[in-house]
C-alpha cells in the first residue's frame, strides 16, 4: 500500500514478474490498506510509511491488532527521517524493510532493483511463516556440536551477526547485559548508511552498555558495543596491546557490506578462537564461513533457534553445518552470554 501511483506501479510490476507471487490488492492509503488486509487475508503486506489519512506506523499498529504474525515489509526512504520511522516500525512489529529507489536511472532499472531486493525477502518471510504454521511442523533438529576443542579461558570478545529481525533481537540481547559486562562487543547488522547510526543510538538507549556506530580507529573496550556502519566492512586489527577498528570499502561478501564473514575472519587474526560468536535471526548465509573458521580454532558458537527467529537463514546455516555449540531461544541468550563471559 502506497499513496504514490508511480511507486504502486513499480512495486506491483516488480512482484508480478515472479510466477510464485500474486498481488491480491493495492491500497492508496493506510486506511484503505487496513481494510484490504481484513478482506483479502494476504500472506504478506508491503507498507509505505508516509501516507495520507492514516500513516504507515498507525496502519501497522491496526494490522497487528488482528494479525500479530502477518509478515509486513516497510517501504522507506534512505533519509534520517526514513531511518527513524523504519526503526520505529521494526520496534512495533514490522518484519523487515526495503529502501525506496533513489530516483536515479530508468523505470526499468528501478523495477529491477525493487524486484531483486523485495522478492527474496517476501519468499523468506512467507516461507518461514508457513513452516511455523503447519500443524505438523516442529523445530528443525539440532545438529550435535562438532567434537572439537573449545577454548576454556575467559573469552576476549563477543561477536554478533544478524540481518532480518536483527534490530529487535539485538535490543532484547543487549538490554539484558549489565554495564559491567566484561567483553568488548562488535556487531554486524545488515543495514544501509544512516540506518546503522540510528540503530546504534536506539540500542544505546535500551542498554546499560555503551553502544555506538563504529568509526575508524575505535578501540575495542569492555562494556562497549561497536556497530558496523552501513556500506562499510568492519575489520579488527591489533595495534600494540590494543585491538582497533578498520573500516573498508572492499567488495560486498554474500551480497552484503558490512558482512559478518569479514568481521569474523578479522577477529580470528586478532583473537584466535578465544571469542564468543553469536548468529541471530537473518536471511541468507552470511557468517557461515567466518563461523566455520572460528569454530575450528575453538570459539564458542551460539545460534538463535528457529522458533524465535524471524528468518532462520543465517543461524540455520550455522546449525545445519554442525558449528553451533548451543542453539538457544532468543530470551535465553543474554543469560548464557553472561555466564560465558565469566569463563
Amino acid at each position: 500500500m502506497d499513496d504514490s501511483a508511480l511507486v504502486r506501479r513499480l512495486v506491483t510490476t516488480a512482484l508480478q514478474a515472479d510466477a510464485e507471487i500474486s498481488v491480491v490488492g493495492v491500497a492508496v492509503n493506510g486506511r484503505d490498506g487496513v481494510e484490504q488486509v481484513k478482506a483479502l487475508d494476504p500472506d504478506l503486506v508491503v507498507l509505505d510509511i508516509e501516507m495520507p489519512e492514516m500513516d504507515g506506523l498507525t496502519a501497522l499498529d491496526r494490522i497487528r491488532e488482528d494479525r500479530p504474525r502477518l509478515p509486513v515489509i516497510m517501504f522507506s526512504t534512505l533519509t534520517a527521517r526514513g531511518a527513524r520511522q523504519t526503526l520505529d516500525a521494526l520496534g512495533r512489529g514490522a518484519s523487515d524493510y526495503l529502501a525506496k529507489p533513489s530516483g536515479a536511472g530508468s523505470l526499468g532499472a528501478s523495477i529491477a532493483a525493487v524486484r531483486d531486493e523485495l522478492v527474496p525477502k517476501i519468499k523468506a518471510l512467507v516461507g518461514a511463516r508457513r513452516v511455523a504454521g503447519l500443524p505438523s511442523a516442529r523445530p528443525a533438529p539440532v545438529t550435535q556440536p562438532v567434537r572439537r576443542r573449545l577454548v576454556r579461558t575467559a573469552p576476549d570478545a563477543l561477536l554478533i551477526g544478524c540481518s532480518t529481525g536483527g534490530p529487535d533481537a539485538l535490543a532484547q540481547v543487549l538490554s539484558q547485559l549489565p554495564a559491567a559486562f566484561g567483553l568488548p562487543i562488535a556487531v554486524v547488522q545488515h543495514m544501509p548508511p544512516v540506518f546503522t547510526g540510528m540503530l546504534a543510538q536506539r540500542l544505546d538507549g535500551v542498554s546499560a552498555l555503551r553502544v555506538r556506530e563504529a568509526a575508524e580507529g575505535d578501540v575495542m573496550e569492555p562494556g562497549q558495543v561497536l556497530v558496523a556502519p552501513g556500506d562499510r566492512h568492519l575489520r579488527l586489527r591489533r595495534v600494540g596491546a590494543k585491538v582497533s577498528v578498520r573500516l573498508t570499502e572492499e567488495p560486498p561478501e554474500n551480497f552484503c557490506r558490512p558482512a559478518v564473514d569479514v568481521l569474523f575472519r578479522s577477529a580470528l587474526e586478532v583473537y584466535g578462537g578465544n571469542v564468543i560468536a553469536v548468529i541471530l535471526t537473518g536471511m541468507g548465509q552470511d557468517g557461515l564461513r567466518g563461523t566455520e573458521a572460528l569454530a575450528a580454532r575453538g570459539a564458542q558458537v551460539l545460534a538463535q533457534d528457529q522458533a524465535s527467529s524471524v528468518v532462520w537463514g543465517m543461524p540455520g546455516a550455522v546449525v545445519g553445518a554442525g558449528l553451533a555449540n548451543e542453539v538457544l531461544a532468543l530470551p535465553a541468550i543474554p543469560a548464557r552470554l553472561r555466564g560465558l563471559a565469566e569463563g
Side-chain angles (χ1 to χ4, degrees):
M1 56 189 82
D2 196 291
D3 63 311
S4 166
L6 177 61
V7 173
R8 293 197 302 271
R9 175 188 168 197
L10 188 155
V11 174
T12 301
T13 302
L15 296 182
Q16 287 179 332
D18 191 289
E20 297 180 356
I21 296 177
S22 298
V23 179
V24 298
V26 180
V28 298
N29 59 55
R31 193 177 305 279
D32 181 27
V34 171
E35 293 304 316
Q36 289 204 37
V37 168
K38 292 179 180 178
L40 299 173
D41 191 25
D43 291 318
L44 179 142
V45 173
V46 180
L47 178 62
D48 192 13
I49 290 180
E50 297 185 358
M51 294 184 292
E53 293 194 40
M54 181 186 291
D55 64 30
L57 293 176
T58 304
L60 174 63
D61 289 341
R62 298 288 176 83
I63 290 170
R64 281 286 172 259
E65 290 174 2
D66 298 324
R67 302 287 300 278
R69 296 183 62 83
L70 177 67
V72 177
I73 297 176
M74 306 304 296
F75 215 36
S76 171
T77 55
L78 278 174
T79 63
R81 175 180 170 83
R84 190 177 302 108
Q85 292 173 323
T86 299
L87 290 169
D88 282 344
L90 293 173
R92 296 184 188 196
S95 310
D96 203 353
Y97 67 94
L98 179 72
K100 291 183 179 181
S102 63
S106 65
L107 178 62
S110 296
I111 290 173
V114 170
R115 180 192 64 231
D116 292 345
E117 290 195 50
L118 184 55
V119 168
K121 291 176 183 286
I122 289 174
K123 291 183 176 180
L125 289 167
V126 172
R129 178 170 175 261
R130 285 178 174 171
V131 168
L134 288 173
S136 61
R138 290 178 174 81
V142 176
T143 305
Q144 291 299 315
V146 174
R147 292 179 178 175
R148 52 185 166 81
R149 180 183 62 83
L150 292 176
V151 172
R152 295 301 182 187
T153 59
D156 293 324
L158 168 60
L159 315 171
I160 303 176
C162 49
S163 184
T164 309
D168 182 60
L170 286 170
Q172 291 191 51
V173 171
L174 296 181
S175 66
Q176 298 301 310
L177 298 182
F181 188 73
L183 303 181
I185 304 172
V187 173
V188 168
Q189 159 71 50
H190 298 156
M191 273 188 159
V194 181
F195 283 61
T196 46
M198 294 282 184
L199 173 65
Q201 290 178 21
R202 292 192 174 228
L203 293 174
D204 186 64
V206 301
S207 174
L209 302 168
R210 307 183 309 277
V211 186
R212 60 191 180 88
E213 187 178 51
E216 181 72 23
D218 277 347
V219 174
M220 294 279 284
E221 298 177 343
Q224 176 176 261
V225 184
L226 297 178
V227 178
D231 205 32
R232 295 290 185 275
H233 288 308
L234 191 159
R235 290 184 174 274
L236 302 178
R237 59 181 176 180
R238 189 169 293 281
V239 181
K242 297 181 179 180
V243 175
S244 67
V245 165
R246 179 172 173 244
L247 303 178
T248 77
E249 296 183 8
E250 296 165 282
E253 292 193 23
N254 309 304
F255 307 102
C256 303
R257 189 170 67 196
V260 180
D261 276 337
V262 172
L263 169 63
F264 282 16
R265 286 200 311 269
S266 69
L268 181 65
E269 296 173 3
V270 171
Y271 298 117
N274 204 37
V275 298
I276 306 168
V278 179
I279 300 293
L280 300 176
T281 174
M283 186 172 70
Q285 295 191 351
D286 186 29
L288 174 61
R289 297 306 175 198
T291 300
E292 188 175 45
L294 286 170
R297 294 283 296 276
Q300 184 80 27
V301 178
L302 307 184
Q304 185 175 350
D305 73 354
Q306 186 173 15
S308 66
S309 295
V310 175
V311 176
W312 208 50
M314 288 168 57
V318 168
V319 173
L323 301 173
N325 301 104
E326 298 178 66
V327 183
L328 301 171
L330 184 62
I333 291 177
R336 187 65 182 123
L337 292 176
R338 293 195 297 269
L340 289 172
E342 297 172 359

